[in-house]
Amino acid sequence: MNKISLTRRAFVTSASAFGLVGASGLALPYYSRANQRPAFTHGVQSGDVDATSGMVWTRTDRPARVMYEVSTTESFANATRLAALDTSPASDYTVKRLLTDLASEQDIFYRMVAADLSDINAVSEPIVGRFRTAPSSKRDVRFAWSGDTAGQGWGIDETGMKTYSTIAKHTPDFFLHSGDTIYADGALKDEVDLPGGGKWKNVVMIDGKRKVAETLDEYRDQWKYNMMDKHVLALSAICPTFYQWDDHEVLNNWSDSKDLTADDRYKEKSIHVLAARAARAFHEMTTIRYEPSEPGRVYRKVSHGPLLDVFFLDMRSYRGPNGPNLQETLTPKSRMIGEEQSKWLKREVANSKATWKVIAADMPLSLVVWNDAAKKVGFEAVSNNDNGAPKGRELEFADVLRFIKNAGITNTVWLTADVHYTAAHYYNPDKAQFQDFNPFWEFVSGPIHAGTFGPNDLDMTFGPELKFIKAPTAEQGQNLPPSAGLQFFGLVDISGATEQLTVRLMDRDDNELYKVTLDPVRSA
């Protein structure tokens, strides 16, 4: 391995993350020239990292025995060898595991080698990744977030998914993917005509992206396609990704009551069958932790030291049907996160000792998102566009906000994506129809590599004040390609010295669009 030091936040700014990772010997997929030797096909991933543990993932091209080494040095001196794990067709040759008993605030290097189960002496080249464990003391923290990958027909062109490399230049402790991690309902074409002339060319294509996903293998293909992008691979090699999901992991605006009868793209008409296949692919292809109490669960908490806890919501799996969203009482049909998740969120936020409690929501609280945008019928997100007292799904979140206030919980920040533009909202009870909550901020980012849309209307039930917005102009229109430059991510920095939290909204060319620093509320 090339012994280039990879100290955190010491990237050479003029070099791309892809070039740096390649130069360092860190994990880009290695394809063995000898076909008889196994190979790693889609790089490595890490995720759900805390102070003492973290998930790691990879995939092989055949049934293989994957051998692991873990070290605190890039040279793998005094490395710890772990028990080997086997890959098989049952999980599409993917394998992931939890690395445990790690030191806090430590660079962790992990190396894998695969041996062919049919010929155990046929061994792959090694593949290597890195992450840093969370601190046990108050130190600076940095993370990024965004959402929406490979949507609206915009796949991997000659430039590739550039925003991933832009994020990597900032060497975040982790990247929070806020949902729409794939577009299982977004078939790609080889070429797309651009407004004003010219063509977008999806230079990387696989058969699984030419139609909507219905089979388990087709859902898996959505993930494998994204991991064919050099920028995605480079970020994954050096930075943990914390995943949540939204609708496009299954299909647009899905809920348990979705009716596909009239959708000719789908031969499989059962939303329950499709959602089950999509969920299996999601858990196979990501580093999300396994929850024994509810296998397949997406909502969870990840602690990142004394300054930060992140609470990942699942606003998709437990919701009632999309509709007028005007119910007067809280019932299973009017809920969005469900009773059990709501109880979990209250309990975990109340028990948190971290200075900042970040609530990672896959949908915004007050932006109006129509179920049928063309006809402006039904509602897909929380708000119902009536600007009045809470009704429908708003009731559930009014209950959560009231609880946070009454329990004396401070320093909550909401992060989201979904709407394909970037914005900053300050929720002010003095401007709200429902006022029984403490002020808080919600920051919106994305898309990371998809069509740009918006802006959306704001519902005033919870009193959001628009502090910043960057979206297409009326002249630019909707569904702008990534090449138009309106691709967004957010950066969050927490100071170990002052405990202040700073949010920056960024574009794919690394321009800072908006910045705000929040002072923590100190306990009396």
Side-chain angles (χ1 to χ4, degrees), residues 168-188:
K169 292 178 184 178
H170 292 275
T171 58
D173 295 309
F174 60 90
F175 168 55
L176 192 167
H177 201 307
S178 300
D180 293 339
T181 48
I182 59 170
Y183 275 75
D185 58 336
L188 297 179

Side-chain angles (χ1 to χ4, degrees), residues 318-321 325-343 345-346 381-382 384 389-403 434 462:
Y318 312 98
R319 64 167 58 198
N325 199 23
L326 293 171
Q327 297 95 330
E328 298 281 354
T329 58
L330 197 52
T331 68
K333 288 187 176 182
S334 62
R335 285 187 180 273
M336 190 175 202
I337 61 174
E339 185 175 4
E340 287 304 311
Q341 186 178 183
S342 180
K343 289 178 180 177
L345 178 61
K346 294 175 184 177
V382 179
N384 52 29
K391 295 178 183 177
R393 293 168 179 164
E394 295 170 340
L395 293 167
E396 191 169 39
F397 289 92
D399 179 58
V400 168
L401 295 176
R402 182 191 297 112
F403 174 86
F434 172 81
F462 298 120

Side-chain angles (χ1 to χ4, degrees), residues 243-372:
Y243 289 97
Q244 59 189 140
W245 75 347
D246 190 32
D247 57 334
H248 291 286
E249 286 80 1
V250 181
L251 55 84
N252 188 47
N253 294 358
W254 81 273
S255 69
D256 200 50
S257 61
K258 183 79 171 182
D259 183 2
L260 294 172
T261 304
D263 194 331
D264 294 336
R265 298 175 302 165
Y266 289 90
K267 295 179 181 178
E268 175 56 67
K269 298 297 183 181
S270 170
I271 187 61
H272 308 100
V273 169
L274 294 175
R277 291 169 179 168
R280 177 170 172 174
F282 178 82
H283 284 270
E284 286 177 344
M285 294 291 173
T286 70
T287 49
I288 188 171
R289 294 198 189 206
Y290 175 79
E291 174 52 59
S293 66
E294 185 186 343
R297 201 175 87 178
V298 175
Y299 70 86
R300 65 204 188 279
K301 182 188 83 169
V302 178
S303 296
H304 199 79
L307 295 181
L308 175 65
D309 280 343
V310 185
F311 304 87
F312 294 85
L313 301 187
D314 179 355
M315 302 169 79
R316 186 60 53 181
S317 301
Y318 312 98
R319 64 167 58 198
N322 291 347
N325 199 23
L326 293 171
Q327 297 95 330
E328 298 281 354
T329 58
L330 197 52
T331 68
K333 288 187 176 182
S334 62
R335 285 187 180 273
M336 190 175 202
I337 61 174
E339 185 175 4
E340 287 304 311
Q341 186 178 183
S342 180
K343 289 178 180 177
W344 166 86
L345 178 61
K346 294 175 184 177
R347 180 178 66 250
E348 293 298 328
V349 173
N351 290 338
S352 174
K353 304 300 182 185
T355 303
W356 292 98
K357 297 91 177 169
V358 168
I359 300 174
D362 46 288
M363 302 203 79
L365 288 176
S366 293
L367 287 172
V368 177
V369 183
W370 298 99
N371 186 53
D372 186 332

Side-chain angles (χ1 to χ4, degrees), residues 82-294:
L82 306 180
L85 299 178
D86 294 341
T87 68
S88 75
S91 60
D92 197 32
Y93 311 113
T94 64
V95 62
K96 66 180 183 180
R97 77 185 305 161
L98 183 67
L99 305 183
T100 59
D101 301 320
L102 305 176
S104 63
E105 200 171 346
Q106 177 67 57
D107 281 327
I108 302 296
F109 297 85
Y110 56 98
R111 180 164 63 190
M112 293 170 280
V113 173
D116 191 328
L117 287 180
S118 298
D119 180 4
I120 207 68
N121 293 316
V123 178
S124 73
E125 291 291 330
I127 192 168
V128 185
R130 188 199 72 194
F131 62 84
R132 187 172 180 83
T133 52
S136 56
S137 59
K138 293 181 179 179
R139 72 154 177 87
D140 293 351
V141 173
R142 172 177 292 170
F143 68 94
W145 93 95
S146 188
D148 318 306
T149 302
Q152 291 75 48
W154 313 116
I156 303 171
D157 66 341
E158 289 185 358
T159 300
M161 301 184 188
K162 176 183 174 182
T163 311
Y164 281 87
S165 278
T166 307
I167 290 171
K169 292 178 184 178
H170 292 275
T171 58
D173 295 309
F174 60 90
F175 168 55
L176 192 167
H177 201 307
S178 300
D180 293 339
T181 48
I182 59 170
Y183 275 75
D185 58 336
L188 297 179
K189 299 178 180 178
D190 293 305
E191 295 183 349
V192 180
D193 292 329
L194 294 172
K199 290 183 181 294
W200 173 280
K201 295 182 180 181
N202 289 315
V203 298
V204 176
M205 280 290 286
I206 58 175
D207 288 342
K209 285 299 296 181
R210 296 186 185 277
K211 65 178 290 293
V212 297
E214 297 178 84
T215 68
L216 175 58
D217 282 341
E218 287 168 349
Y219 278 107
R220 289 164 168 165
D221 280 347
Q222 312 303 306
W223 291 95
K224 289 186 281 190
Y225 179 79
N226 290 356
M227 287 185 275
M228 295 172 75
D229 178 79
K230 62 185 180 182
H231 307 291
V232 172
L233 289 168
L235 180 64
S236 294
I238 60 173
C239 175
T241 299
F242 296 2
Y243 289 97
Q244 59 189 140
W245 75 347
D246 190 32
D247 57 334
H248 291 286
E249 286 80 1
V250 181
L251 55 84
N252 188 47
N253 294 358
W254 81 273
S255 69
D256 200 50
S257 61
K258 183 79 171 182
D259 183 2
L260 294 172
T261 304
D263 194 331
D264 294 336
R265 298 175 302 165
Y266 289 90
K267 295 179 181 178
E268 175 56 67
K269 298 297 183 181
S270 170
I271 187 61
H272 308 100
V273 169
L274 294 175
R277 291 169 179 168
R280 177 170 172 174
F282 178 82
H283 284 270
E284 286 177 344
M285 294 291 173
T286 70
T287 49
I288 188 171
R289 294 198 189 206
Y290 175 79
E291 174 52 59
S293 66
E294 185 186 343

